[in-house]
Amino acid sequence: MDYSIGIDIGGTNTVIGLVDESGTVVAKEKLRTKESSIVDDYLKSVATKIELLADRVKEENLILGVGIGAPNGNYYHGTIEYAPNLPFNGIIELKEILEVLLLKDGYNLKVTVTNDANAAAIGEMIYGKAKNVRNFIMITLGTGVGSGIVVDGKLVYGHTGFAGEVGHTIIDIDGRQCNCGRKGCVERYASATGIVITIKEMLANTTRDSILRAIKEDEITSKDIYEAALKGDSLALECFDYTAKILALGIANASEVTSPEKVYLFGGLSKAGDILLNPLKKYLNEFLFSVFQNTIDIELSGLKEEDAAILGAAALCY
């Protein structure tokens, strides 16, 4: 049986998994991303974890390689470039450094790098619902809004390697300040962070009753908004409706460039299910140019949340 190693580099933790060809995560290793601000020390720890996993199957099986999903990961260069939520500054030569470290210890493994949302899209294509779908958009709804776009069965990287940033398309040039340095990006409205900003604005600008007024403003989470919406809280439901409207606008703009068959949602905010999906589907169809209306299905991802990032990264090896 063939295996691959998938790595999810997050702002807090790095998770490394050994994945078999059926998409089962056989074993995992974990370390804190921020345990060292010295990138060489961090990558030495990552290489050690990779070798521990590789040793489990090296006698009788083939390891296809190592795939890494990381913030601001560049597929063309094998680098992480200016990732704001990682402790390493500038451009990190991730592929080159790791391959050298592994080869030094006798492991001749090819390393492939992309950003975390692109990895999720590839994971959906190899292991999830998109196995037979050649045109789709993967939207990851977490602290930010990530996306991976597949056209004619191929992930779109573009000239720079960073194509497909739906979350950083601008829907209001005078809108909210984004961490990217610009204003009005989709992710400042349609992420878990964005929906909390929205509800705080709504609570401040209206005297309407809401369950959420019982929570201290700086302690409100997207989960609180979801739970309030489930109980029929009108302000929470209106907040989800507005969030869906902004996300639909971002998806519509991307869809009119790529014409997807499916849009898959993944990440914390997608757990809201129909509370988000129903208004999202309605607004998307309203915003689409007539030739695209009723041609796009929106579904939740088929990947298991606990393993999705690892599976997506591992799928880079195919």
Side-chain angles (χ1 to χ4, degrees):
M1 180 178 287
D2 293 341
Y3 290 84
S4 54
I5 292 175
I7 302 178
D8 172 37
I9 298 179
T12 303
N13 295 309
T14 296
V15 185
I16 305 166
L18 179 66
V19 180
D20 69 21
E21 58 193 25
S22 70
T24 299
V25 180
V26 177
K28 293 181 188 177
E29 295 285 341
K30 185 176 180 180
L31 68 152
R32 288 188 60 80
T33 305
K34 296 183 178 180
E35 71 176 15
S36 174
S37 60
I38 301 172
V39 69
D40 286 345
D41 291 345
Y42 164 74
L43 290 179
K44 284 177 183 176
S45 297
V46 171
T48 298
K49 299 292 188 183
I50 292 171
E51 292 164 11
L52 285 172
L53 292 174
D55 284 346
R56 295 173 66 107
V57 294
K58 72 177 183 180
E59 294 300 327
E60 68 278 1
N61 296 286
L62 173 66
I63 296 179
L64 300 175
V66 177
I68 303 176
N72 291 28
N74 189 310
Y75 176 78
Y76 291 151
H77 301 146
T79 53
I80 295 176
E81 302 186 11
Y82 307 103
N85 62 336
L86 296 182
F88 319 118
N89 298 320
I91 298 175
I92 310 303
E93 301 288 344
L94 188 60
K95 170 183 170 69
E96 180 180 340
I97 295 171
L98 263 183
E99 285 183 346
V100 169
L101 287 171
L102 292 168
L103 189 59
K104 183 180 177 182
D105 292 336
Y107 298 83
N108 186 15
L109 294 172
K110 179 184 177 183
V111 175
T112 306
V113 178
T114 193
N115 74 41
D116 38 8
N118 283 344
I122 295 170
E124 197 72 48
M125 189 162 47
I126 301 296
Y127 302 117
K129 291 182 178 179
K131 288 180 180 178
N132 298 308
V133 181
R134 292 181 56 78
N135 296 277
F136 70 91
I137 298 175
M138 182 77 168
I139 302 287
T140 59
L141 301 171
T143 304
V145 174
S147 55
I149 298 176
V150 173
V151 175
D152 293 336
K154 296 180 180 179
L155 189 72
V156 175
Y157 285 107
H159 172 63
T160 61
F162 291 114
E165 287 286 355
V166 175
H168 287 290
T169 54
I170 293 173
I171 48 83
D172 182 356
I173 60 173
D174 297 313
R176 296 173 184 170
Q177 184 66 49
C178 184
N179 292 334
C180 75
R182 303 174 306 153
K183 290 184 177 180
C185 292
V186 169
E187 83 166 27
R188 292 305 285 170
Y189 299 84
S191 61
T193 305
I195 197 172
V196 169
I197 295 172
T198 298
I199 199 67
K200 288 180 179 179
E201 290 178 351
M202 294 174 74
L203 289 167
N205 294 328
T206 181
T207 58
R208 284 163 55 189
D209 288 339
S210 173
I211 297 169
L212 295 164
R213 293 192 186 279
I215 305 172
K216 291 182 180 179
E217 183 179 300
D218 61 355
E219 294 179 1
I220 295 174
T221 67
S222 58
K223 184 180 179 182
D224 293 326
I225 304 169
Y226 166 64
E227 290 177 348
L230 277 180
K231 296 175 181 176
D233 186 284
S234 64
L235 207 63
L237 287 167
E238 186 178 324
C239 182
F240 265 102
D241 186 82
Y242 178 73
T243 301
K245 189 174 186 177
I246 297 298
L247 181 58
L249 183 56
I251 293 173
N253 289 337
S255 296
E256 291 181 355
V257 176
T258 65
S259 187
E261 175 187 347
K262 303 275 189 180
V263 174
Y264 298 104
L265 303 184
F266 177 79
L269 203 57
S270 70
K271 293 179 182 177
D274 286 344
I275 291 174
L276 177 66
L277 280 173
N278 288 341
L280 181 61
K281 291 175 180 178
K282 176 177 75 77
Y283 285 124
L284 178 61
N285 226 36
E286 287 179 10
F287 293 150
L288 285 169
F289 182 44
S290 58
V291 298
F292 297 109
Q293 288 177 347
N294 302 308
T295 66
I296 303 168
D297 293 327
I298 304 177
E299 301 179 10
L300 298 181
S301 167
L303 299 176
K304 294 180 180 178
E305 183 177 359
E306 63 270 23
D307 293 332
I310 291 174
L311 288 175
L316 290 168
C317 301
Y318 286 86

